[in-house]
C-alpha cells in the first residue's frame, strides 16, 4: 500500500464550492480559491431578512458543521421522555440555504433538520460583551445580529461597557443603567424580548472556597464570583425567552453596589454559569422551555475588531490558540497598537479566563460592530471566517482579510516540536494514527523508518494531532548537490479533535518549521527553530480520490498528477521573497533556475517510499 500523508478530516466542500481544477486531466496546476459574494455592510440601508439566509449560506457549513450544530441545539434523548424518532440528516450549505429560503417566504419547511435549525429544541447561552460607545445605527445593526442568533437557538447574556467611562466618577451607575435601557429598547425594536437586570449579580473578589483553586493552563481566576442564587434573575429571563442585559456592577464586601469593569463581571459569569449548567445537566428534560446556562460562546463586540497580528501587518489574527500563543501575542504586541487597539490585550485576557471555565468545545470571538453577520457563521461552524492555515499571500491578496475580520479564540492545546524518535510516545502516536486513518499501523516498519529518516514531528496537546516530517535522500540521478527532500509523511488529527482548530494549529506550526522558516512571522515559540534558518520546500502526496485534496489545493503552491496519486508541494517562501525583492517590478519567472527538474526528482523519490500500514 502507498503511504499517503492525508489530513484525516471530512472534506469541507459543499455543492456551491466544488469549482476546482480537474486534477485527473491536468498534469500541473496552481489553485486560487473562489468565494461567495459578500452581502452589504451591516451599516448600509435596506438590509432585509434575506441577509439572515445569506449569512448562513456564506458560512459554508460542511456536513460535520451541521451535525455539530444539531448536537448542540437539536433534540436530546432523555430517559423519561420520548423524543422524536426522526434521524437528523446533515445538510450541505446549498441544501440548508434552500430550506431557509423556503422559511423566509413563509412556506412550510418540510425537511425536519431545517425545521430544527430554525426552531431549535435546546436553547443555549452566549456571554456578550457589548463594548461601546455605539451610535444608534451601529447598535441597531448589532441588535439585529443578536436577534438572528436567537433564531438559531443561542440566547445572549449581555454585559455592557463603554471605553470612555471613568470608574468612580459621579453618576457612573446611572449612566450604566441608562445604557442598559437603551440596549433593551434597541433589541425590542428588532423583534426580540429583552429584560434589564439592574441589580448586582456578581460579588467582588474570589469565593473563599476558590482562593486556592488552580485554573487550567495557569489562567488567572476572575476578580469576582457568583453564588447560585445570584443567577436567579438571569435564569428567569432566559426561561421567559428574554435577553438579559446587565450593567457592569457588583456587590463589595459591605454589600454596596459599585461599578466595576465588565471583564470582571463576564469572567465571574462564565465560571458561575458553567458551574450551574454542569450541576443542572442531568435535570434537562429536552423541552423548548429549558435553558442550559453553560456558556457556549463568548462574544466581544467592539469598534476595534480582533487582535492585530505582526504576521499580517497589523490585520487581525484569524485563530488564536490561547494555550500556546497567549504569551507570544502579548510579547510581540506593537507599541502603535496600544493606540489603535487599546483593549485588545485585555480582551485577550478575558477570553483566556472565560474559556478556562467553559466547555472545551466553546470558543470566543472578537468582532467589530461592522461584522455582526460573522457571529452567525461562527455559531454554525465554530470556525474562523478565514482559515489561519491558508497562505499569507492568498489571505491578504484577495481582499477578504480586512481590519474588521473577526478573531476566533480557542482554549487550544500546547504545540511542540520533537526532533528525536526517542522523545515520541509510540503508544499514543500509534493510537492517534490508527484512529485518524482508520487503518492498522505496521509499527515495526514505521518506527524503524523514522529512526533513520525523521526530520521533526509536531505534536498538538496530548497527541490530539501530529505532523510527521522526514528527510528523504533524492535518487542518484538528481546529482550530488541535490538537497534532501522535506517530506510530510503523516498529518493526523483525532476524530474528536477535528473541528476544534487543531488542524489549523498543526499546519501553521508545520509552515513555521519548513517552507515558512526564516520569516519573521514564523518565529513562534513551539520548541522548534523559532524562525531561525532557511526555508525548505515541503512535499507530500495523496490519493487522487482523497476528498480532502481540496483542503490541500488551497494550501499548496502546486500539484502534480502522478498515476493514481497527486503530489503537492509548498515552495520555500523566504527564498522566493528574496528573489522577488531583488528583481523588483520584473517579478518571478514561472520556473526559476533552481526549480528546473525538481518535480521529476520529487515524484520518483516519494513514489518509492514504502507503506506504513498493514495489509
Amino acid at each position: 500500500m502507498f503511504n499517503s500523508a492525508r489530513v484525516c478530516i471530512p472534506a469541507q466542500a459543499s455543492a456551491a464550492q466544488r469549482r476546482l481544477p480537474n486534477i485527473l486531466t491536468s498534469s500541473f496546476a496552481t489553485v486560487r480559491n473562489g468565494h461567495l459574494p459578500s452581502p452589504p455592510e451591516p451599516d448600509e440601508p435596506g438590509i432585509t431578512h434575506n441577509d439572515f439566509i445569506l449569512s448562513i449560506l456564506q458560512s459554508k457549513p460542511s456536513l460535520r458543521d451541521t451535525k455539530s450544530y444539531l448536537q448542540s441545539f437539536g433534540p436530546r434523548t432523555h430517559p423519561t421522555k420520548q423524543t422524536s424518532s426522526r434521524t437528523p440528516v446533515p445538510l450541505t450549505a446549498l441544501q440548508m440555504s434552500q430550506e431557509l429560503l423556503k422559511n423566509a417566504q413563509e412556506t412550510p419547511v418540510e425537511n425536519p433538520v431545517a425545521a430544527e435549525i430554525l426552531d431549535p429544541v435546546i436553547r443555549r447561552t452566549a456571554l456578550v460583551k457589548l463594548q461601546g460607545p455605539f451610535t444608534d445605527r451601529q447598535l441597531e445593526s448589532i441588535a439585529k445580529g443578536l436577534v438572528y442568533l436567537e433564531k438559531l437557538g443561542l440566547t445572549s447574556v449581555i454585559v455592557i461597557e463603554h471605553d470612555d467611562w471613568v470608574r468612580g466618577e459621579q453618576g457612573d451607575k446611572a449612566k450604566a443603567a441608562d445604557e442598559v435601557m437603551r440596549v433593551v429598547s434597541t433589541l425590542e425594536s428588532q423583534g426580540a424580548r429583552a429584560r434589564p437586570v439592574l441589580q448586582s449579580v456578581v460579588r467582588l473578589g474570589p469565593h473563599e472556597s476558590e482562593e486556592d483553586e488552580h485554573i487550567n493552563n495557569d489562567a488567572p481566576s476572575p476578580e469576582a464570583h457568583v453564588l447560585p442564587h445570584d443567577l436567579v434573575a438571569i435564569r428567569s429571563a432566559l426561561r421567559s425567552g428574554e435577553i438579559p442585559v446587565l450593567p457592569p456592577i457588583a456587590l463589595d464586601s459591605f454589600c454596596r453596589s459599585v461599578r466595576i469593569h465588565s471583564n470582571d463581571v463576564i469572567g465571574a459569569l462564565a465560571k458561575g454559569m458553567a458551574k450551574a449548567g454542569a450541576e443542572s445537566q442531568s435535570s434537562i428534560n429536552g423541552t423548548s422551555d429549558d435553558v442550559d446556562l453553560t456558556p457556549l460562546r463568548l462574544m466581544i463586540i467592539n469598534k476595534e475588531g480582533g487582535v492585530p497580528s505582526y504576521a499580517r501587518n497589523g490585520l487581525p489574527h484569524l485563530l488564536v490558540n490561547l494555550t500556546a500563543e497567549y504569551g507570544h501575542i502579548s510579547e510581540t504586541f506593537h507599541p502603535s497598537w496600544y493606540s489603535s487597539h487599546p483593549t485588545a490585550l485585555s480582551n485577550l485576557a478575558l477570553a483566556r479566563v472565560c474559556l478556562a471555565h467553559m466547555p472545551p468545545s466553546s470558543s470566543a470571538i472578537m468582532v467589530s460592530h461592522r461584522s455582526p453577520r460573522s457571529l452567525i457563521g461562527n455559531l454554525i461552524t465554530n470556525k474562523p471566517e478565514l482559515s489561519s492555515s491558508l497562505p499569507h499571500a492568498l489571505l491578504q491578496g484577495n481582499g477578504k482579510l480586512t481590519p474588521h475580520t473577526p478573531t476566533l479564540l480557542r482554549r487550544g492545546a500546547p504545540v511542540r516540536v520533537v526532533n528525536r524518535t526517542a522523545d515520541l510516545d509510540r503508544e499514543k502516536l500509534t493510537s492517534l494514527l490508527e484512529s485518524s486513518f482508520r487503518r492498522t499501523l505496521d509499527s515495526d516498519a514505521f518506527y524503524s523508518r523514522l529512526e533513520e529518516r525523521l526530520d521533526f514531528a509536531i505534536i498538538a496537546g496530548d497527541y490530539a494531532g501530529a505532523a510527521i516530517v522526514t528527510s528523504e535522500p533524492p535518487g542518484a540521478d538528481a546529482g550530488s548537490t541535490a538537497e534532501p527532500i522535506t517530506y510530510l509523511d503523516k498529518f493526523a488529527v483525532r476524530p474528536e479533535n477535528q473541528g476544534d482548530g487543531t488542524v489549523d494549529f498543526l499546519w501553521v506550526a508545520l509552515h513555521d518549521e519548513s517552507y515558512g522558516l526564516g520569516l519573521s512571522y514564523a518565529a513562534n515559540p513551539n520548541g522548534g527553530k523559532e524562525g531561525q534558518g532557511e526555508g525548505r520546500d515541503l512535499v507530500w502526496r495523496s490519493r487522487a480520490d482523497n476528498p480532502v485534496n481540496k483542503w490541500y489545493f488551497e494550501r499548496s503552491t502546486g500539484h502534480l498528477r502522478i498515476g493514481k496519486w497527486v503530489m503537492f508541494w509548498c515552495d520555500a517562501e523566504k527564498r522566493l521573497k528574496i528573489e522577488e525583492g531583488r528583481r523588483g517590478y520584473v517579478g518571478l519567472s514561472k520556473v526559476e533556475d533552481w526549480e528546473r527538474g525538481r518535480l521529476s526528482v520529487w515524484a520518483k523519490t516519494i513514489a518509492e517510499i514504502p507503506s506504513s500500514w498493514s495489509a
Side-chain angles (χ1 to χ4, degrees), residues 528-543:
K529 294 183 173 61
E530 299 189 8
Q532 302 300 313
E534 297 296 324
R536 299 167 290 169
D537 300 331
L538 180 69
V539 185
W540 70 100
R541 70 188 182 187
S542 176
R543 292 184 179 272

Side-chain angles (χ1 to χ4, degrees), residues 479-500:
S480 59
T481 60
E483 298 179 351
I485 299 172
T486 302
Y487 175 68
L488 176 59
D489 188 280
K490 292 287 183 293
F491 192 93
V493 175
R494 285 191 178 277
E496 58 267 30
N497 294 102
Q498 294 166 8
D500 68 358

Side-chain angles (χ1 to χ4, degrees), residues 546-580:
N546 186 354
V548 84
N549 283 343
K550 176 192 178 295
W551 199 85
Y552 284 150
F553 290 144
E554 295 172 332
R555 285 151 185 81
S556 63
T557 303
H559 66 274
L560 177 69
R561 170 74 162 84
I562 47 175
K564 60 181 180 180
W565 311 101
V566 180
M567 179 179 72
F568 296 89
W569 71 90
C570 291
D571 289 329
E573 294 178 351
K574 181 181 178 182
R575 182 190 301 167
L576 294 179
K577 284 183 177 294
I578 292 174
E579 187 65 23
E580 189 175 25

Side-chain angles (χ1 to χ4, degrees), residues 317-379:
H317 281 275
L318 296 173
L319 177 64
V320 174
N321 179 346
L322 286 169
T323 299
E325 302 177 51
Y326 178 81
H328 187 60
I329 291 175
S330 301
E331 293 166 3
T332 57
F333 200 79
H334 195 274
S336 65
W337 297 338
Y338 287 101
S339 298
S340 61
H341 296 75
T343 64
L345 291 183
S346 62
N347 283 331
L348 188 71
L350 171 64
R352 183 170 175 242
V353 169
C354 293
L355 291 178
H357 302 285
M358 293 161 65
S361 61
S362 300
S363 63
I365 186 171
M366 294 173 58
V367 60
S368 163
H369 68 90
R370 293 180 62 85
S371 302
R373 76 175 72 90
S374 300
L375 301 175
I376 295 176
N378 170 248
L379 173 63

Side-chain angles (χ1 to χ4, degrees), residues 145-457:
L146 297 180
V147 170
Y148 286 169
L149 290 179
E150 190 177 30
K151 292 178 184 293
L152 292 170
L154 191 71
T155 303
S156 301
V157 176
I158 301 173
V159 180
I160 62 170
E161 180 62 65
H162 267 212
D163 290 336
D164 56 1
W165 279 346
V166 178
R167 286 181 59 183
E169 68 179 357
Q170 186 175 5
D172 56 354
K173 289 190 292 182
K175 290 181 179 179
D178 289 343
E179 184 64 16
V180 166
M181 300 308 298
R182 175 172 175 250
V183 172
V184 168
S185 177
T186 304
L187 287 167
E188 291 181 338
S189 71
Q190 296 302 315
R193 298 173 59 193
R195 179 189 299 188
V197 181
L198 299 178
Q199 71 269 30
S200 302
V201 297
V202 304
R203 302 163 186 265
L204 286 179
H207 191 272
E208 58 183 14
S209 64
E210 301 170 349
E211 292 181 351
D212 298 326
E213 181 179 310
H214 297 285
I215 307 302
N216 291 337
N217 305 323
D218 298 321
S221 183
E223 295 296 326
H225 68 279
V226 174
L227 298 179
H229 62 267
D230 294 328
L231 297 173
V232 169
I234 293 177
R235 192 189 299 271
S236 173
L238 295 174
R239 281 179 173 170
S240 300
E242 299 171 331
I243 299 175
V245 185
L246 289 71
I249 59 175
L251 292 178
D252 64 11
S253 57
F254 297 98
C255 292
R256 295 175 302 188
S257 178
V258 297
R259 193 174 71 77
I260 63 175
H261 198 279
S262 61
N263 286 9
D264 296 327
V265 176
I266 295 171
L269 287 175
K271 186 174 184 178
M273 290 171 63
K275 184 177 180 181
E279 292 175 349
S280 61
Q281 187 86 23
S282 59
S283 64
I284 295 178
N285 61 20
T287 68
S288 58
D289 293 331
D290 289 315
V291 175
D292 188 347
L293 280 183
T294 306
L296 194 68
R297 297 285 191 274
L298 168 66
M299 299 175 178
I300 301 170
I301 305 174
N302 57 25
K303 290 188 173 183
E304 302 171 17
V307 182
S309 166
Y310 70 95
R312 307 193 190 282
N313 299 320
L315 291 174
H317 281 275
L318 296 173
L319 177 64
V320 174
N321 179 346
L322 286 169
T323 299
E325 302 177 51
Y326 178 81
H328 187 60
I329 291 175
S330 301
E331 293 166 3
T332 57
F333 200 79
H334 195 274
S336 65
W337 297 338
Y338 287 101
S339 298
S340 61
H341 296 75
T343 64
L345 291 183
S346 62
N347 283 331
L348 188 71
L350 171 64
R352 183 170 175 242
V353 169
C354 293
L355 291 178
H357 302 285
M358 293 161 65
S361 61
S362 300
S363 63
I365 186 171
M366 294 173 58
V367 60
S368 163
H369 68 90
R370 293 180 62 85
S371 302
R373 76 175 72 90
S374 300
L375 301 175
I376 295 176
N378 170 248
L379 173 63
I380 296 174
T381 68
N382 206 12
K383 296 174 183 175
E385 190 170 299
L386 299 169
S387 173
S388 60
S389 61
L390 287 170
H392 286 262
L394 181 59
L395 283 172
Q396 300 188 199
N398 65 2
K400 288 294 182 181
L401 182 59
T402 72
H404 301 289
T405 301
T407 296
L408 183 70
L409 306 105
R410 305 296 296 255
R411 183 191 304 179
V415 177
R416 66 187 188 280
V417 177
V418 175
N419 298 107
R420 303 185 308 159
T421 55
D423 295 329
L424 293 171
D425 187 318
R426 297 192 179 190
E427 182 178 350
K428 290 182 179 180
L429 180 58
T430 299
S431 174
L432 163 64
L433 295 177
E434 292 185 343
S435 65
S436 299
F437 287 90
R438 295 185 177 91
R439 302 182 67 181
T440 301
L441 189 70
D442 185 351
S443 299
D444 292 340
F446 176 70
Y447 289 109
S448 294
R449 203 177 98 76
L450 288 190
E451 291 282 356
E452 180 183 354
R453 301 285 175 83
L454 179 67
D455 188 344
F456 63 88

